[in-house]
Amino acid sequence: MGRIVGLVFDDLKPAQPDPAELTKAELKEKLDAAGVEYNDKMTKDELIALLEE
């Protein structure tokens, strides 16, 4: 007879996407949700820097 062995990880969080893979609109949504102020004319790199602070 075979054995069934399994592991359950309840505390794992879903993987967070790399900020560089997000669109500018998605970055703005995340900044809005975090309550971070930004300028609409900021580059994607500047938005990523704010998100990582």
Side-chain angles (χ1 to χ4, degrees):
M1 297 259 165
R3 288 190 276 166
I4 297 175
V5 178
L7 299 174
V8 177
F9 297 98
D10 291 332
D11 61 342
L12 291 180
K13 295 179 183 176
Q16 294 294 326
D18 182 12
E21 294 176 0
L22 297 174
T23 65
K24 197 170 178 180
E26 291 170 327
L27 289 169
K28 288 181 178 181
E29 286 178 17
K30 286 191 171 285
L31 289 168
D32 286 338
V36 178
E37 293 183 24
Y38 59 89
N39 184 331
D40 283 332
K41 296 181 181 182
M42 290 180 139
T43 65
K44 185 175 176 179
D45 290 334
E46 291 170 325
L47 294 173
I48 290 170
L50 283 177
L51 190 62
E52 292 176 344
E53 286 183 356

